Amino acid sequence: MSLNNSDVCILIPTLNEGATIGNVIKDFKAEGFSEILVIDGHSVDKTREIAEAEGVRVVLQSGKGKGQALIQAFELIESPYIVLVDGDGTELARDAHTLLAPLFEGRAEHVVGNRLVRFEKGAFTKLNLLGNHLINRLFDLAYGVQQKDILSGYRAFTRESIRELELNKLGFEIETEISVECILKNQRVLEFPISYLPRSEKGVTKLNPLKDGFRIGVTIYRLAKMHNPIFYFGIIGSLFILAGIISGSFVVWQWFQGITRIPMTVLTSLLLIFGLQMFIFGMLSDLIVALHKQTIRLIQAQYKSK
Ligand SMILES: Nc1nc2c(ncn2[C@@H]2O[C@H](COP(=O)(O)OP(=O)(O)OP(=O)(O)O)[C@@H](O)[C@H]2O)c(=O)[nH]1
Ligand SMILES: [Mg+2]
C-alpha cells in the first residue's frame, strides 16, 4: 500500500471538547499524521487553547453548526486527502488507515466508517441506535442504495470529490447531505466497520436525538425529490389517496343506508384525483431526473476522457 500520510489533512470539528481534543490530536500524530485542522464552534472551554498547544492549526468558524464549520473548513484545506473525525474521542485514530487505503488505491472517492457493527456497549443510547436504524432504512428506501451508516462522522475523501458536492446544510444534517450528494454526483462510496466508543463522561453531546433526528429525516425526504421523485411525490399522493379511500368508504356505507352525501362525494373525488395526480407528477419528474442523470454521465465521461 502506498500510504502517504503527508498528503492527508485530519479535520476535527469541535464544540466544547476540551476533555478529549488533546488526546485525539496526540493519537493522530502517533499514527503519523502531522497536518491537522481544528475548526471550532466558539467553544467556551479550553478546546482551542489545548489544540493550539498541540501545535495544530485552529480556525474559529464564522457561523454556527457542524455543517457550517465543515463547509468553511473544506475551502481552507489544500491537502489532496481529508479525514473527517469527531473531537469527542469516540473514534480511533488507527482506523484512519482503513478509511484512507481505498482512496490511495484509487478505488473510491469517499469512504465512510461504519459505527454500527463494532460499537462498544454504551456508545449509543437505545434511542440513538433506533434513530440511526430508522434513518438508514429511510435512506435505503429513498435512494435505493445500501448504505449502513449514513450519519457517521468518521470519513475519508479526496479534496477534489468533496469540493464537487453542493453542500448547504448548516447543522447535523450535513452528513446526510454529503451522503446524498455523493450519490447524485456518481461518486464511488465504500463503507468499512470502525470502532466506536462511548463519549467521555466529561464531554456533553451537542446532538438532540429527537430534534436533530427529525431534521435529518426531513432532509432525506426533501433531497429525495432530486433522486427518487416517485418516492417524494408518492408519499404525498398516498396520503391523499388514503384520505380519499376513508371518506369514500363512508360515502358508500351511507349510500347503502339510503343516505346520499353529495359534498362528501365531491370531496372524495377531489382527494382521489389529487392523489393520483401526485403519482403522475412523480412519474414525469422521474423521467426528467433520468434524462438529467444521463446528461451528467455523458458530461463526466467527456471530462474524464480529456
Ligand atoms: N465547529 C463545530 N463543531 C461542532 C458543532 N456541533 C458539534 N460539533 C462537533 O462535531 C462532532 C460531533 O458532534 P457530537 O455532539 O459528538 O455528535 P455525534 O457524534 O453525532 O453524537 P454523540 O453520539 O452524542 O457523540 C464533535 O466533535 C462536536 O464537538 C458546531 O456547531 N460547530
Ligand atoms: Mg460523537
Side-chain angles (χ1 to χ4, degrees):
M1 222 182 324
S2 61
L3 285 175
N4 198 347
N5 292 345
S6 60
D7 287 335
V8 179
C9 176
I10 308 293
L11 170 61
I12 317 177
T14 56
L15 178 56
N16 299 329
E17 302 292 5
T20 47
I21 186 65
N23 280 335
V24 172
I25 295 173
K26 283 194 184 85
D27 289 348
F28 274 95
K29 283 185 184 162
E31 292 296 326
F33 300 99
S34 50
E35 180 73 21
I36 299 176
L37 170 63
V38 170
I39 180 112
D40 185 64
H42 302 262
S43 295
V44 290
D45 64 2
K46 293 258 179 274
T47 302
R48 285 193 301 281
E49 286 86 338
I50 296 170
E52 270 158 7
E54 286 295 331
V56 304
R57 186 172 174 204
V58 180
V59 174
L60 203 56
Q61 78 177 89
S62 57
K64 264 174 113 172
K66 184 178 176 185
Q68 192 280 326
L70 296 188
I71 292 169
Q72 183 180 345
F74 294 149
E75 291 297 317
L76 299 173
I77 295 174
E78 290 305 326
S79 315
Y81 300 97
I82 303 171
V83 170
L84 170 66
V85 65
D86 287 355
D88 56 6
T90 52
E91 294 140 344
L92 298 180
R94 63 164 185 264
D95 282 333
H97 306 296
T98 314
L99 303 183
L100 282 165
L103 302 181
F104 290 152
E105 291 161 9
R107 286 192 288 127
E109 280 87 43
H110 195 100
V111 185
V112 180
N114 180 352
R115 306 162 301 166
L116 299 166
V117 187
R118 285 208 315 243
F119 60 90
E120 277 191 10
K121 207 163 162 276
F124 287 105
T125 62
K126 283 212 171 65
L127 183 63
N128 273 346
L129 203 57
L130 176 73
N132 269 283
H133 280 300
L134 284 177
I135 284 167
N136 284 305
R137 285 294 304 132
L138 181 67
F139 189 83
D140 285 352
L141 207 66
Y143 294 93
V145 179
Q146 277 284 318
Q147 276 191 32
K148 304 279 182 300
D149 188 13
I150 66 150
L151 300 183
S152 176
Y154 200 4
R155 292 159 182 257
F157 34 81
T158 63
R159 183 193 52 191
E160 206 181 316
S161 70
I162 200 77
R163 290 203 178 163
E164 204 191 7
L165 310 183
E166 286 157 48
L167 302 174
N168 301 301
K169 297 286 170 207
L170 304 181
F172 284 108
E173 305 95 306
I174 189 73
E175 285 93 357
T176 310
E177 194 178 39
I178 291 177
S179 294
V180 171
E181 273 288 312
C182 283
I183 295 174
L184 294 181
K185 298 290 172 349
N186 293 323
Q187 294 189 0
R188 291 169 301 168
V189 179
L190 291 177
E191 267 188 330
F192 291 98
I194 50 158
S195 303
Y196 197 57
L197 316 179
R199 250 180 180 281
S200 122
E201 274 158 29
K202 282 178 246 140
V204 187
T205 179
K206 283 90 217 171
L207 186 120
N208 179 326
L210 293 180
K211 196 179 86 200
D212 291 305
F214 179 74
R215 281 199 189 154
I216 290 167
V218 170
T219 302
I220 294 180
Y221 175 64
R222 283 219 191 119
L223 295 178
K225 189 164 56 179
M226 287 294 283
H227 182 75
N228 186 354
I230 295 195
F231 171 84
Y232 180 84
F233 288 105
I235 286 191
I236 309 177
S238 306
L239 291 177
F240 275 91
I241 288 177
L242 186 71
I245 289 173
I246 293 171
S247 67
S249 308
F250 176 73
V251 167
V252 171
W253 177 67
Q254 289 274 290
W255 188 73
F256 277 117
Q257 317 258 313
I259 310 164
T260 308
R261 300 264 182 198
I262 296 192
M264 203 67 170
T265 309
V266 173
L267 179 71
T268 301
S269 320
L270 288 176
L271 286 170
L272 291 177
I273 290 169
F274 189 78
L276 284 174
Q277 237 175 5
M278 282 293 123
F279 275 96
I280 297 169
F281 278 177
M283 273 146 60
L284 287 175
S285 311
D286 195 56
L287 191 68
I288 297 172
V289 167
L291 291 171
H292 175 71
K293 279 185 192 153
Q294 208 173 26
T295 316
I296 295 279
R297 262 198 300 274
L298 279 174
I299 294 172
Q300 280 181 335
Q302 290 251 317
Y303 185 71
K304 276 186 192 135
S305 68
K306 266 185 196 161

